[in-house]
Amino acid sequence: MNRLTQSTQKLRRISSQEVDVSGEHQNFLHDIIFEAKSLLQVDRVSVWLFDDMHQPTKLLNYANTDWQDVPAQLPVLSIDDFPVYFATIITGQSIAADNASLDPRTSEFTDIYLKPNDIATMLDTAIFKNGIALGVVCCEGRTDVRQWQEWEVAITEMVADCCSRRLLVHELYQMQQKLTKMAFQDMLTGLNNRRFLMEHAKREMSRHQRTERPMSLIMMDLDRFKRINDDFGHDAGDKVLKKFAQCCLDVVRVEDCFCRLGGEEFVVLLPETSVSDAHMVANRLCSATRDMEVRQENALIRVTASFGVSEVNPSMPFSHALKMADQAVYRAKANGRDQIQLAC
């Protein structure tokens, strides 16, 4: 079995393995670049990605066999400093620079990088995404020049393809995280939405049922919100909703689950909290809302809210607690608004 076949089998096996792509590039490219270093018998292998694959101006170093820890500031190469090298990589050509200081594609690095680091030879190849160069795998040898063999170029190109697949999986993971966030987040206020609340409540109720600890719910509804939209416009209404959300976040605890149910209706789920303690939280929220100001052009908008407080019974459906709190809010509205009512 020749070296190309052996190396190909190793890389294919590594490429097929499942890895955690949620973290830094150094972590999920680690096995690939270190295998490349071993197969090619070079001193360093690194992965650099363009800042913009369609109009690149920089290459940023995201993974490197020299690193024990990822530097806080990633090393950067600018197209203005290395125009020939960039132009070659952008076209997708592999650079097998036997003598890196003399090769016109890499000689730009001589005084700035090659001589200070004793780099004699380089083998670089593009990482592709949809047929466009996304970045480059750079293999470097110190001290002696080297005549790169065809099988070594082929291996480096396969390494680049392995990196490309990992980067694609990483991108898909990020997209999935973004979609998940969108599914559970209210886009206007940045708060969690009703869907998140219902999922979170299930987990909390299960936990509280085991520990037999109290849990409470505060529902709140901005008073006469339609009038704000009618008098000042929907932009002003959006400002009020966002300001109200931040106002409440400043009051509730980190462990409390504060959500926008929809429209001008909000809920905060308070774990490890009795109804009497929840009532005190509602008092602070009510007072903070009353003190809140929103400026819209030359107008100063003030709002109030009506609050309903209910106990969450883990042995009953969460919808029951929501209904009880909603009825309490209705009574607060009927009794003059800007007040708190306990669920009966």
Side-chain angles (χ1 to χ4, degrees), residues 167-295:
L167 290 166
L168 176 59
V169 175
H170 175 65
E171 183 179 339
L172 291 173
Y173 169 81
Q174 290 182 315
M175 188 179 300
Q176 184 183 43
Q177 293 299 108
K178 185 177 180 180
L179 290 172
T180 300
K181 185 176 181 180
M182 289 173 63
F184 289 99
Q185 186 180 56
D186 174 58
M187 300 309 294
L188 176 65
T189 63
L191 299 176
N192 294 316
N193 59 17
R194 176 188 286 270
R195 183 176 180 182
F196 179 90
L197 173 67
M198 303 308 287
E199 293 292 324
H200 181 77
K202 287 180 183 178
R203 295 191 295 271
E204 283 296 313
M205 290 177 73
S206 176
R207 183 171 70 86
H208 281 70
Q209 193 168 33
R210 293 193 303 271
T211 61
E212 297 184 349
R213 297 291 296 162
M215 179 164 56
S216 299
L217 176 74
I218 302 173
M219 183 178 291
M220 56 206 85
D221 194 300
L222 290 173
D223 296 329
R224 298 185 175 92
F225 184 71
K226 183 178 183 301
R227 185 181 296 178
I228 295 173
N229 283 330
D230 293 342
D231 293 347
F232 301 100
H234 288 277
D235 286 345
D238 288 348
K239 278 187 181 180
V240 168
L241 291 171
K242 289 190 283 188
K243 185 67 177 288
F244 177 73
Q246 187 56 57
C247 179
C248 293
L249 285 172
D250 292 340
V251 173
V252 301
R253 304 168 301 182
V254 174
E255 61 266 31
D256 297 331
C257 179
F258 181 43
C259 303
R260 183 185 179 195
L261 285 186
E264 63 271 29
E265 196 172 33
F266 297 79
V267 163
V268 57
L269 182 63
L270 301 103
E272 308 286 331
T273 306
S274 66
V275 170
S276 60
D277 288 338
H279 189 272
M280 289 190 289
V281 175
N283 266 313
R284 293 199 295 271
L285 290 169
C286 187
S287 178
T289 305
R290 200 180 295 127
D291 294 338
M292 189 180 80
E293 295 179 349
V294 175
R295 185 168 294 279

Side-chain angles (χ1 to χ4, degrees), residues 81 115 247:
D81 296 328
K115 286 183 178 179
C247 179

Side-chain angles (χ1 to χ4, degrees), residues 29-41:
L29 295 177
H30 180 275
D31 55 345
I32 296 174
I33 60 177
F34 273 89
E35 186 62 36
K37 181 181 178 182
S38 174
L39 291 173
L40 296 168
Q41 294 296 293

Side-chain angles (χ1 to χ4, degrees), residues 84-85 88 94-110 114 120 122 148:
V84 176
Y85 178 81
T88 306
S94 293
I95 300 174
D98 299 340
N99 188 326
S101 294
L102 298 181
D103 193 299
R105 299 165 297 180
T106 55
S107 59
E108 299 166 318
F109 293 101
T110 300
L114 300 179
M122 295 173 65
W148 295 104

Side-chain angles (χ1 to χ4, degrees), residues 141-169:
R142 294 191 178 96
T143 309
D144 298 322
V145 298
R146 173 173 175 173
Q147 186 173 359
W148 295 104
Q149 305 298 310
E150 287 186 8
W151 73 268
E152 293 173 319
V153 176
I155 286 302
T156 308
E157 290 175 346
M158 184 171 290
V159 168
D161 289 344
C162 291
C163 291
S164 177
R165 284 193 284 274
R166 288 277 175 89
L167 290 166
L168 176 59
V169 175

